[in-house]
Amino acid sequence: MNRYPLWKYATVVIALLIGLLYTLPNFFGESPAVQVSSAKATLKVDTQTLARVETTLNAAQVVNDGLFLDTVGVKVRLHDADTQLKARDLLEKEFNPDPENAQYVVALNLLSASPQWLTRLSALPMYLGLDLRGGVHFLLQVDMKGALTKRLDSLGADLRTLMRDKNIRHAGIAREGERVVLRFRDAETRDRARNALADAQPDLQLADQGEGEDLKLVATLKPQAVTRLQASALSQNMTTLHNRINELGVAEPVIQQQGADRIVVQLPGVQDTAKAKDILGRTATLEIRMVDDTAGALEAAQAGQVPFGTELYVERGGKPLLVKKQVMLTGERLTDAQPGFDNQTQEPSVHLTLDSAGARIFKDVTRDNVGKRMAILLIEKGKGEVVTAPVIRTEIGGGRVQISGRMSTVEANDTALLLRAGSLAAPMEIIEERTIGPSLGADNIKKGFDSTLWGFTAIAVFMIAYYMLFGAVSVVALATNLLFLIALLSMLQATLTLPGIAAIALTLGMAIDSNVLINERIREELRNGMTPAAAITTGYERAFGTILDSNVTTLIAGIALLIFGSGPIRGFAVVHCLGILTSLFSSVVVSRALVNLLYGGRRKIDSLAIGQVWKPQGSAAASPAAKSAAKVAAPVAATKAAPKQGAASPAAGKSGAINWGDSGGRGAAGKPDSGGKAK
Amino acid sequence: MEFFRIHKDIPFMRHALKFNIISLLTFVAAVFFLFWNGLNLSVEFTGGTLVEVNYTQTADLEKVRGALAKAGHGEVAVQNFGSSHDVLIRLPLKADEPTAKAGEAVMAALDADAPGATLRRVEFVGPQVGKELAENGAMALLLVVIGIVIYLAFRFEWRFSVAAIIANLHDVVIILGFFACFGWEFSLSVLAAVLAVLGYSVNESVVVFDRVRETFKKARGLSTPQVLDHAITRTISRTIITHGSTQMMVLSMLIFGGETLHNFALALTIGICFGIYSSVLVASPLVMWLGVSREQFVKPKRQIEGANEDGAVV
């Protein structure tokens, strides 16, 4: 009766193997590495970079433990921390000859030291949270109101231009809070304006207000338009942050959206918060200037004599470019930049959208400079970089500019990104900051590990002492629970934090409940006179309902924490919920499989090694089966309890209602194969 | 080994009133302390800055306070954190300067007047985040309560769910009362512990209730208090062993977990101790007073047409 079909054993074994496989990478620890990634969106790290890294290291006779290319960049595994530093300095010198103008990020990193075949199975170690590895965590709030105001301001300017173009006489256009109000003197003009607006600005919601001489048309952004605006503001800010953080040389920065208007930035290993904050808060500007094409000027500049009122820049292709200092247009006038294709030639191109004031200036500039080149520069930290320098073919009006020719799709994408990344779409504010020193991180790991270890040991010692073999089975089940939990966390690549470790410990402490329930139930059934084999079956069966109930209530609490928790609480909740699920499997299925293996094969089981089962004497008389069980299972208990017999029996008999022997008959009636009936 | 050698059901229900009066008194005391002292909320809830620094030698707190006062940080709390080498500095939010500059200012001040400090951690929480966390905490508690009430009502009966949730919410209040009384810091991790323990001690009630239901179904002719006594007596061994095991783990956290896990483990300890008491000795009498009876569990026998008294159909 206590046998599992083969498939159940197979399931347990397979689950254990998978658990072991995915837990394994956590034991290998980490090896020092150096990572080379691109600092610029326009620069791609590819196999050539990989070859360059290899030759550089080989030339300096730095032995590496393997290098590879992934989505982030080139990673070189090194033997120890000293070689790591040496390699970093070498690569830094090779890839960034000019430290003022870094092209690549050369950063120290730690790579999992687990063997290749594990990595290929995507068995990776758990991802350690900042409180365990040290670093900086920022929560940034994007000022969406600011983004909206900015958009409405430029919209007001657009409307003014539109009214002028359509020859509609208005009595003033102004932004009032989150709406733009247009004033008119008569209803007819207002109608014309409304029609014109409906065509030109589909994003606007229009409403009439006022009467008599003071007629108003109130324009607000449609909710969809606001959502779109916020989404694009957020993604643009994130792109900008990405580009800036590259400068810090962080190996694995995390930049994530949180909620509708927040961005989480995590920089593992960074200690210098001041510099990080400075970089996060910096603004870059975009400038459009004219290129100086005067014959001989460029050569003079290259020779060292830069003509007055110009600056020498290097184009992306490496060609020098002489750019005038006078700024035609700044990035503030640029509302959007998107990659796309030319309507006629189908060449990849970048489409820019300027606001009305920008469009007017651009029209004037292009009219006067047909055939000449203009340069779009990204100025950051007072240093400029030429994003692109197209030739002006015709006069461009209307604020829609297309840059095309000699561009690949990738380049068009990069250029658009750079143009957009020029400045933050909306101001941001740091609303939460957490800096954890590296020593604290290591301390936290040790503390969390120690608590779990000693707690586990204490429980194991107690369980084995109290329940003997069944206690040992429970401990094994608890250990597999830990194995499954860690395997699951590694598989999901969930972030492990100190509260997460606390949750592992707590979950283990709570998971033992299931096994205690089972063991107590088996003892009780034995006490009630069941045969050992029947007691196992009934014990597991009866306990399961209770185990399920109690786990569900715990899970409800875990899920509530998961929904409403943030930051450290979330880590706790994730582990807690997963732990409850794994404990259901390990405490019921795995422990049952073990018990079945131990006892299921025997034809006749004399007793269970579940520790001493004490029996009050009153019950022995009540059920004949109990007598035999008492004889085999707990002779010591029976004799010990004997003196009390006289006191116990009459009491039991007097109450008549219920005594310790009552369920023996109950079990027998319910289970045809149980001890009570067989006798 | 067998710790619990109980001959017959312990008449818990005879003392039901006493248990409830004890727990009512504890509850009132907890509420009193909550109003009198209030909770010592951590930076996460109130907003503000927390700086932990480490000195290689024993830290001179007076010197640290002096250095900070000199730098214009008046309202700072400076205390040891875990060991005499570690110092925790708490700064309140300033209305005029809500940015995250305080951490650097503190380090600058310490470098000038109390040198030798290395930065261990800085936590800055803006006012809006703190408010949100408090709100989310309350929402989480509400969700747990509703979820558990619905589940128990669905699985057992409304009387059980009401009794269990009253008993366990009073645990929550008592934990909070302890934190208010002793001025222990109430942080996010303590909140997590409170909620986890809430789910955990409800499962204690579930185990007892499971037995109550089983006994009602199987044993006839017992009064409700007798059934409850029987159910509690039968599960008491498991209750104590389980909680003992969980407490061993929590104790290990209390001893080895350091300062960060200290309050978390403390909340769990109180929760576990009161959890046993309330889910067994408070919830069960409540169920009794709410009028639980055998009829609610035993479905009336269907009458088969033409059946004789023995139930056999001819």
Side-chain angles (χ1 to χ4, degrees), chain A residues 262 277 431 433 435 437 451 509 513 520 523-524 546 549 569 612 660 666, chain B residues 5-7 100 104 120-122 124 126 132 151 155 211 234 237-238 246 252:
Chain A
R262 286 181 183 170
K277 273 185 226 165
I431 54 169
E433 182 204 324
T435 310
S451 333
D513 175 41
E520 283 292 311
R523 274 188 179 188
E524 201 182 323
T546 314
D549 274 339
I569 293 287
Q612 180 189 37
W660 287 102
R666 186 160 32 98
Chain B
R5 303 178 173 192
I6 306 160
H7 290 274
E104 285 137 50
R120 296 265 280 178
R121 102 187 126 116
V122 178
F124 162 80
E132 250 175 55
Y151 181 75
R155 196 80 174 76
R211 261 319 162 93
R234 277 292 174 99
S237 151
R238 171 260 160 200
T246 313
S252 165

mmCIF file of all heavy atoms in Angstrom, chain A residues 262 277 431 433 435 437 451 509 513 520 523-524 546 549 569 612 660 666, chain B residues 5-7 100 104 120-122 124 126 132 151 155 211 234 237-238 246 252:
data_model
loop_
_atom_site.group_PDB
_atom_site.id
_atom_site.type_symbol
_atom_site.label_atom_id
_atom_site.label_comp_id
_atom_site.label_asym_id
_atom_site.label_seq_id
_atom_site.Cartn_x
_atom_site.Cartn_y
_atom_site.Cartn_z
ATOM 1 N N ARG A 262 8.192 56.571 -12.647
ATOM 2 C CA ARG A 262 9.408 56.462 -11.854
ATOM 3 C C ARG A 262 10.449 55.592 -12.535
ATOM 4 O O ARG A 262 10.100 54.683 -13.283
ATOM 5 C CB ARG A 262 9.094 55.867 -10.486
ATOM 6 C CG ARG A 262 8.403 56.866 -9.636
ATOM 7 C CD ARG A 262 8.122 56.318 -8.296
ATOM 8 N NE ARG A 262 7.393 57.326 -7.561
ATOM 9 C CZ ARG A 262 6.809 57.111 -6.405
ATOM 10 N NH1 ARG A 262 6.874 55.917 -5.871
ATOM 11 N NH2 ARG A 262 6.178 58.079 -5.807
ATOM 12 N N LYS A 277 25.280 61.063 -8.814
ATOM 13 C CA LYS A 277 24.175 62.025 -8.826
ATOM 14 C C LYS A 277 24.430 63.145 -9.818
ATOM 15 O O LYS A 277 23.547 63.580 -10.525
ATOM 16 C CB LYS A 277 24.004 62.624 -7.431
ATOM 17 C CG LYS A 277 23.106 61.799 -6.560
ATOM 18 C CD LYS A 277 22.892 62.523 -5.264
ATOM 19 C CE LYS A 277 23.072 61.554 -4.136
ATOM 20 N NZ LYS A 277 23.237 62.207 -2.864
ATOM 21 N N ILE A 431 14.000 60.556 -5.331
ATOM 22 C CA ILE A 431 13.111 60.487 -4.170
ATOM 23 C C ILE A 431 13.500 59.372 -3.219
ATOM 24 O O ILE A 431 12.925 59.238 -2.155
ATOM 25 C CB ILE A 431 11.632 60.326 -4.589
ATOM 26 C CG1 ILE A 431 11.452 59.143 -5.514
ATOM 27 C CG2 ILE A 431 11.115 61.590 -5.215
ATOM 28 C CD1 ILE A 431 10.018 58.794 -5.724
ATOM 29 N N GLU A 433 17.166 57.059 -2.073
ATOM 30 C CA GLU A 433 18.549 56.729 -2.359
ATOM 31 C C GLU A 433 19.029 55.730 -1.332
ATOM 32 O O GLU A 433 18.688 55.825 -0.160
ATOM 33 C CB GLU A 433 19.415 57.982 -2.263
ATOM 34 C CG GLU A 433 20.864 57.721 -2.585
ATOM 35 C CD GLU A 433 21.768 58.744 -1.941
ATOM 36 O OE1 GLU A 433 21.386 59.905 -1.847
ATOM 37 O OE2 GLU A 433 22.858 58.347 -1.523
ATOM 38 N N THR A 435 22.660 53.709 -0.408
ATOM 39 C CA THR A 435 24.052 53.370 -0.720
ATOM 40 C C THR A 435 24.492 52.292 0.251
ATOM 41 O O THR A 435 24.323 52.455 1.455
ATOM 42 C CB THR A 435 24.963 54.592 -0.536
ATOM 43 O OG1 THR A 435 24.384 55.683 -1.232
ATOM 44 C CG2 THR A 435 26.336 54.314 -1.074
ATOM 45 N N GLY A 437 27.723 50.040 1.391
ATOM 46 C CA GLY A 437 29.161 49.804 1.261
ATOM 47 C C GLY A 437 29.434 48.340 1.002
ATOM 48 O O GLY A 437 28.649 47.489 1.396
ATOM 49 N N SER A 451 22.424 32.656 9.972
ATOM 50 C CA SER A 451 21.121 32.452 10.612
ATOM 51 C C SER A 451 20.433 31.233 10.025
ATOM 52 O O SER A 451 19.887 30.408 10.749
ATOM 53 C CB SER A 451 20.180 33.634 10.433
ATOM 54 O OG SER A 451 20.837 34.813 10.274
ATOM 55 N N GLY A 509 11.613 27.486 8.464
ATOM 56 C CA GLY A 509 11.076 27.317 9.805
ATOM 57 C C GLY A 509 9.593 27.012 9.782
ATOM 58 O O GLY A 509 9.079 26.293 10.625
ATOM 59 N N ASP A 513 6.445 22.693 9.586
ATOM 60 C CA ASP A 513 5.081 22.467 10.075
ATOM 61 C C ASP A 513 4.404 21.289 9.370
ATOM 62 O O ASP A 513 3.805 20.428 10.015
ATOM 63 C CB ASP A 513 4.267 23.747 9.869
ATOM 64 C CG ASP A 513 2.807 23.563 10.245
ATOM 65 O OD1 ASP A 513 2.555 22.905 11.263
ATOM 66 O OD2 ASP A 513 1.941 24.084 9.523
ATOM 67 N N GLU A 520 3.006 13.761 13.488
ATOM 68 C CA GLU A 520 2.092 13.687 14.627
ATOM 69 C C GLU A 520 0.877 12.833 14.280
ATOM 70 O O GLU A 520 0.385 12.065 15.083
ATOM 71 C CB GLU A 520 1.642 15.096 15.024
ATOM 72 C CG GLU A 520 2.686 15.873 15.788
ATOM 73 C CD GLU A 520 2.932 15.275 17.176
ATOM 74 O OE1 GLU A 520 1.948 15.023 17.896
ATOM 75 O OE2 GLU A 520 4.104 15.045 17.520
ATOM 76 N N ARG A 523 1.795 9.165 14.325
ATOM 77 C CA ARG A 523 1.886 8.710 15.713
ATOM 78 C C ARG A 523 0.490 8.510 16.282
ATOM 79 O O ARG A 523 0.225 7.529 16.981
ATOM 80 C CB ARG A 523 2.592 9.763 16.559
ATOM 81 C CG ARG A 523 4.079 9.647 16.549
ATOM 82 C CD ARG A 523 4.639 10.593 17.567
ATOM 83 N NE ARG A 523 6.084 10.511 17.609
ATOM 84 C CZ ARG A 523 6.807 11.130 18.531
ATOM 85 N NH1 ARG A 523 6.224 11.853 19.459
ATOM 86 N NH2 ARG A 523 8.115 11.028 18.510
ATOM 87 N N GLU A 524 -0.370 9.438 15.967
ATOM 88 C CA GLU A 524 -1.714 9.348 16.511
ATOM 89 C C GLU A 524 -2.445 8.118 15.997
ATOM 90 O O GLU A 524 -3.112 7.422 16.756
ATOM 91 C CB GLU A 524 -2.469 10.613 16.124
ATOM 92 C CG GLU A 524 -3.650 10.864 17.008
ATOM 93 C CD GLU A 524 -4.384 12.098 16.553
ATOM 94 O OE1 GLU A 524 -3.712 13.056 16.127
ATOM 95 O OE2 GLU A 524 -5.617 12.083 16.603
ATOM 96 N N THR A 546 -5.107 19.492 5.948
ATOM 97 C CA THR A 546 -4.684 20.537 6.879
ATOM 98 C C THR A 546 -3.499 21.319 6.321
ATOM 99 O O THR A 546 -3.443 22.545 6.400
ATOM 100 C CB THR A 546 -4.286 19.896 8.220
ATOM 101 O OG1 THR A 546 -5.277 18.946 8.579
ATOM 102 C CG2 THR A 546 -4.176 20.926 9.298
ATOM 103 N N ASP A 549 -4.678 23.747 3.675
ATOM 104 C CA ASP A 549 -5.347 24.903 4.277
ATOM 105 C C ASP A 549 -4.368 25.887 4.872
ATOM 106 O O ASP A 549 -4.446 27.088 4.638
ATOM 107 C CB ASP A 549 -6.276 24.428 5.406
ATOM 108 C CG ASP A 549 -7.631 24.046 4.862
ATOM 109 O OD1 ASP A 549 -7.962 24.508 3.766
ATOM 110 O OD2 ASP A 549 -8.337 23.282 5.535
ATOM 111 N N ILE A 569 10.696 44.681 0.679
ATOM 112 C CA ILE A 569 9.552 43.842 1.004
ATOM 113 C C ILE A 569 9.257 42.889 -0.144
ATOM 114 O O ILE A 569 8.875 41.747 0.038
ATOM 115 C CB ILE A 569 8.311 44.721 1.237
ATOM 116 C CG1 ILE A 569 8.514 45.546 2.481
ATOM 117 C CG2 ILE A 569 7.066 43.885 1.369
ATOM 118 C CD1 ILE A 569 8.413 44.765 3.724
ATOM 119 N N GLN A 612 9.254 7.357 20.154
ATOM 120 C CA GLN A 612 8.393 6.643 21.066
ATOM 121 C C GLN A 612 6.944 7.109 20.920
ATOM 122 O O GLN A 612 6.680 8.299 20.886
ATOM 123 C CB GLN A 612 8.912 6.984 22.453
ATOM 124 C CG GLN A 612 8.172 6.362 23.553
ATOM 125 C CD GLN A 612 8.675 6.982 24.847
ATOM 126 O OE1 GLN A 612 8.966 8.172 24.908
ATOM 127 N NE2 GLN A 612 8.777 6.176 25.858
ATOM 128 N N TRP A 660 -9.045 8.617 24.151
ATOM 129 C CA TRP A 660 -7.939 8.561 23.187
ATOM 130 C C TRP A 660 -8.050 7.388 22.238
ATOM 131 O O TRP A 660 -7.357 7.313 21.255
ATOM 132 C CB TRP A 660 -6.622 8.520 23.937
ATOM 133 C CG TRP A 660 -6.316 9.844 24.522
ATOM 134 C CD1 TRP A 660 -6.471 10.226 25.810
ATOM 135 C CD2 TRP A 660 -5.846 10.977 23.817
ATOM 136 N NE1 TRP A 660 -6.127 11.527 25.972
ATOM 137 C CE2 TRP A 660 -5.736 12.016 24.759
ATOM 138 C CE3 TRP A 660 -5.508 11.219 22.492
ATOM 139 C CZ2 TRP A 660 -5.315 13.275 24.413
ATOM 140 C CZ3 TRP A 660 -5.073 12.477 22.159
ATOM 141 C CH2 TRP A 660 -4.984 13.481 23.113
ATOM 142 N N ARG A 666 -12.795 4.201 14.203
ATOM 143 C CA ARG A 666 -13.146 5.083 13.111
ATOM 144 C C ARG A 666 -12.264 4.838 11.888
ATOM 145 O O ARG A 666 -12.715 4.660 10.777
ATOM 146 C CB ARG A 666 -12.947 6.516 13.585
ATOM 147 C CG ARG A 666 -13.387 7.546 12.645
ATOM 148 C CD ARG A 666 -13.616 8.887 13.351
ATOM 149 N NE ARG A 666 -12.762 9.163 14.501
ATOM 150 C CZ ARG A 666 -11.663 9.918 14.413
ATOM 151 N NH1 ARG A 666 -11.265 10.390 13.272
ATOM 152 N NH2 ARG A 666 -10.980 10.176 15.486
ATOM 153 N N ARG B 5 1.932 13.820 27.003
ATOM 154 C CA ARG B 5 1.250 12.586 27.415
ATOM 155 C C ARG B 5 -0.016 12.989 28.146
ATOM 156 O O ARG B 5 -0.052 13.084 29.365
ATOM 157 C CB ARG B 5 2.167 11.782 28.308
ATOM 158 C CG ARG B 5 3.447 11.508 27.541
ATOM 159 C CD ARG B 5 4.448 10.764 28.325
ATOM 160 N NE ARG B 5 5.534 10.440 27.416
ATOM 161 C CZ ARG B 5 6.486 9.590 27.707
ATOM 162 N NH1 ARG B 5 6.471 8.977 28.855
ATOM 163 N NH2 ARG B 5 7.432 9.348 26.841
ATOM 164 N N ILE B 6 -1.007 13.222 27.369
ATOM 165 C CA ILE B 6 -2.225 13.762 27.954
ATOM 166 C C ILE B 6 -3.268 12.655 27.973
ATOM 167 O O ILE B 6 -3.547 12.035 26.946
ATOM 168 C CB ILE B 6 -2.721 14.955 27.120
ATOM 169 C CG1 ILE B 6 -1.583 15.981 26.989
ATOM 170 C CG2 ILE B 6 -3.932 15.575 27.765
ATOM 171 C CD1 ILE B 6 -1.744 16.918 25.855
ATOM 172 N N HIS B 7 -3.802 12.399 29.154
ATOM 173 C CA HIS B 7 -4.738 11.285 29.278
ATOM 174 C C HIS B 7 -6.093 11.579 28.702
ATOM 175 O O HIS B 7 -6.706 10.777 28.040
ATOM 176 C CB HIS B 7 -4.874 10.878 30.743
ATOM 177 C CG HIS B 7 -3.644 10.237 31.228
ATOM 178 N ND1 HIS B 7 -3.409 8.902 31.065
ATOM 179 C CD2 HIS B 7 -2.535 10.748 31.822
ATOM 180 C CE1 HIS B 7 -2.210 8.615 31.560
ATOM 181 N NE2 HIS B 7 -1.665 9.714 32.017
ATOM 182 N N ALA B 100 18.518 64.721 -2.203
ATOM 183 C CA ALA B 100 19.292 63.681 -1.535
ATOM 184 C C ALA B 100 20.708 64.134 -1.185
ATOM 185 O O ALA B 100 21.660 63.396 -1.356
ATOM 186 C CB ALA B 100 19.332 62.454 -2.415
ATOM 187 N N GLU B 104 25.780 63.242 1.869
ATOM 188 C CA GLU B 104 27.120 63.775 1.626
ATOM 189 C C GLU B 104 27.503 64.829 2.648
ATOM 190 O O GLU B 104 28.640 64.912 3.095
ATOM 191 C CB GLU B 104 27.193 64.384 0.225
ATOM 192 C CG GLU B 104 27.255 63.322 -0.839
ATOM 193 C CD GLU B 104 26.370 63.646 -2.007
ATOM 194 O OE1 GLU B 104 26.446 64.766 -2.513
ATOM 195 O OE2 GLU B 104 25.574 62.769 -2.394
ATOM 196 N N ARG B 120 29.041 53.139 5.536
ATOM 197 C CA ARG B 120 28.528 51.778 5.338
ATOM 198 C C ARG B 120 27.284 51.811 4.475
ATOM 199 O O ARG B 120 27.125 51.010 3.572
ATOM 200 C CB ARG B 120 28.200 51.137 6.688
ATOM 201 C CG ARG B 120 29.408 50.959 7.559
ATOM 202 C CD ARG B 120 29.985 49.583 7.421
ATOM 203 N NE ARG B 120 29.239 48.611 8.212
ATOM 204 C CZ ARG B 120 29.536 47.320 8.229
ATOM 205 N NH1 ARG B 120 30.529 46.872 7.497
ATOM 206 N NH2 ARG B 120 28.841 46.487 8.959
ATOM 207 N N ARG B 121 26.394 52.729 4.804
ATOM 208 C CA ARG B 121 25.210 52.809 3.955
ATOM 209 C C ARG B 121 24.518 54.130 4.157
ATOM 210 O O ARG B 121 24.627 54.756 5.223
ATOM 211 C CB ARG B 121 24.290 51.625 4.253
ATOM 212 C CG ARG B 121 23.088 51.873 5.101
ATOM 213 C CD ARG B 121 22.398 50.581 5.431
ATOM 214 N NE ARG B 121 22.262 50.504 6.872
ATOM 215 C CZ ARG B 121 21.065 50.486 7.492
ATOM 216 N NH1 ARG B 121 19.967 50.489 6.805
ATOM 217 N NH2 ARG B 121 20.993 50.459 8.796
ATOM 218 N N VAL B 122 23.846 54.576 3.118
ATOM 219 C CA VAL B 122 23.035 55.783 3.192
ATOM 220 C C VAL B 122 21.659 55.417 2.680
ATOM 221 O O VAL B 122 21.537 54.735 1.676
ATOM 222 C CB VAL B 122 23.592 56.910 2.286
ATOM 223 C CG1 VAL B 122 22.686 58.123 2.348
ATOM 224 C CG2 VAL B 122 24.991 57.271 2.678
ATOM 225 N N PHE B 124 18.127 57.370 1.756
ATOM 226 C CA PHE B 124 17.351 58.596 1.715
ATOM 227 C C PHE B 124 15.979 58.256 1.179
ATOM 228 O O PHE B 124 15.845 57.557 0.179
ATOM 229 C CB PHE B 124 18.019 59.625 0.800
ATOM 230 C CG PHE B 124 17.081 60.712 0.374
ATOM 231 C CD1 PHE B 124 16.794 61.758 1.225
ATOM 232 C CD2 PHE B 124 16.457 60.667 -0.859
ATOM 233 C CE1 PHE B 124 15.901 62.744 0.847
ATOM 234 C CE2 PHE B 124 15.567 61.645 -1.242
ATOM 235 C CZ PHE B 124 15.288 62.688 -0.394
ATOM 236 N N GLY B 126 12.349 60.090 0.200
ATOM 237 C CA GLY B 126 11.611 61.339 0.018
ATOM 238 C C GLY B 126 10.241 61.248 0.663
ATOM 239 O O GLY B 126 9.757 60.157 0.953
ATOM 240 N N GLU B 132 3.530 56.790 0.660
ATOM 241 C CA GLU B 132 3.052 55.673 -0.153
ATOM 242 C C GLU B 132 3.268 54.344 0.541
ATOM 243 O O GLU B 132 2.405 53.479 0.535
ATOM 244 C CB GLU B 132 3.848 55.643 -1.441
ATOM 245 C CG GLU B 132 3.070 56.035 -2.639
ATOM 246 C CD GLU B 132 4.006 56.074 -3.805
ATOM 247 O OE1 GLU B 132 4.688 55.077 -4.094
ATOM 248 O OE2 GLU B 132 4.062 57.134 -4.411
ATOM 249 N N TYR B 151 -11.362 33.093 2.482
ATOM 250 C CA TYR B 151 -10.927 31.705 2.335
ATOM 251 C C TYR B 151 -11.511 30.819 3.435
ATOM 252 O O TYR B 151 -12.030 29.732 3.173
ATOM 253 C CB TYR B 151 -9.393 31.620 2.348
ATOM 254 C CG TYR B 151 -8.896 30.203 2.187
ATOM 255 C CD1 TYR B 151 -8.944 29.600 0.944
ATOM 256 C CD2 TYR B 151 -8.434 29.469 3.263
ATOM 257 C CE1 TYR B 151 -8.527 28.294 0.777
ATOM 258 C CE2 TYR B 151 -8.020 28.170 3.118
ATOM 259 C CZ TYR B 151 -8.066 27.589 1.870
ATOM 260 O OH TYR B 151 -7.660 26.300 1.709
ATOM 261 N N ARG B 155 -14.000 27.775 3.107
ATOM 262 C CA ARG B 155 -13.487 26.452 3.450
ATOM 263 C C ARG B 155 -14.199 25.886 4.677
ATOM 264 O O ARG B 155 -14.406 24.698 4.787
ATOM 265 C CB ARG B 155 -11.987 26.574 3.715
ATOM 266 C CG ARG B 155 -11.217 25.294 3.710
ATOM 267 C CD ARG B 155 -10.920 24.839 2.314
ATOM 268 N NE ARG B 155 -10.041 23.662 2.378
ATOM 269 C CZ ARG B 155 -10.468 22.443 2.698
ATOM 270 N NH1 ARG B 155 -11.726 22.234 2.974
ATOM 271 N NH2 ARG B 155 -9.618 21.429 2.736
ATOM 272 N N ARG B 211 -9.682 20.077 12.991
ATOM 273 C CA ARG B 211 -9.984 19.029 13.953
ATOM 274 C C ARG B 211 -11.398 19.177 14.496
ATOM 275 O O ARG B 211 -12.102 18.202 14.721
ATOM 276 C CB ARG B 211 -9.001 19.109 15.130
ATOM 277 C CG ARG B 211 -7.855 18.158 15.074
ATOM 278 C CD ARG B 211 -8.282 16.810 14.593
ATOM 279 N NE ARG B 211 -7.104 16.096 14.156
ATOM 280 C CZ ARG B 211 -6.399 15.279 14.942
ATOM 281 N NH1 ARG B 211 -6.786 15.028 16.165
ATOM 282 N NH2 ARG B 211 -5.328 14.704 14.478
ATOM 283 N N ARG B 234 -5.913 17.462 21.036
ATOM 284 C CA ARG B 234 -5.317 16.595 20.027
ATOM 285 C C ARG B 234 -4.250 17.284 19.183
ATOM 286 O O ARG B 234 -3.378 16.640 18.616
ATOM 287 C CB ARG B 234 -6.424 16.099 19.080
ATOM 288 C CG ARG B 234 -7.181 14.909 19.600
ATOM 289 C CD ARG B 234 -6.270 13.728 19.624
ATOM 290 N NE ARG B 234 -6.850 12.567 20.241
ATOM 291 C CZ ARG B 234 -7.395 11.559 19.562
ATOM 292 N NH1 ARG B 234 -7.463 11.600 18.261
ATOM 293 N NH2 ARG B 234 -7.864 10.526 20.184
ATOM 294 N N SER B 237 0.153 19.123 20.706
ATOM 295 C CA SER B 237 1.515 18.655 20.541
ATOM 296 C C SER B 237 2.115 19.205 19.254
ATOM 297 O O SER B 237 3.227 19.750 19.244
ATOM 298 C CB SER B 237 1.476 17.130 20.539
ATOM 299 O OG SER B 237 2.510 16.609 19.769
ATOM 300 N N ARG B 238 1.340 19.100 18.199
ATOM 301 C CA ARG B 238 1.809 19.612 16.901
ATOM 302 C C ARG B 238 2.019 21.125 16.975
ATOM 303 O O ARG B 238 3.015 21.655 16.480
ATOM 304 C CB ARG B 238 0.784 19.246 15.839
ATOM 305 C CG ARG B 238 1.008 19.868 14.506
ATOM 306 C CD ARG B 238 0.106 21.059 14.347
ATOM 307 N NE ARG B 238 0.591 21.944 13.315
ATOM 308 C CZ ARG B 238 0.220 23.201 13.243
ATOM 309 N NH1 ARG B 238 -0.593 23.714 14.120
ATOM 310 N NH2 ARG B 238 0.690 23.958 12.269
ATOM 311 N N THR B 246 9.795 26.698 14.361
ATOM 312 C CA THR B 246 9.877 28.002 13.699
ATOM 313 C C THR B 246 10.640 28.981 14.585
ATOM 314 O O THR B 246 11.467 29.750 14.104
ATOM 315 C CB THR B 246 8.467 28.535 13.401
ATOM 316 O OG1 THR B 246 7.710 27.501 12.809
ATOM 317 C CG2 THR B 246 8.515 29.719 12.474
ATOM 318 N N SER B 252 17.650 31.852 15.754
ATOM 319 C CA SER B 252 18.924 31.862 15.051
ATOM 320 C C SER B 252 19.123 33.194 14.320
ATOM 321 O O SER B 252 20.219 33.740 14.281
ATOM 322 C CB SER B 252 18.942 30.679 14.092
ATOM 323 O OG SER B 252 19.959 30.820 13.162
#
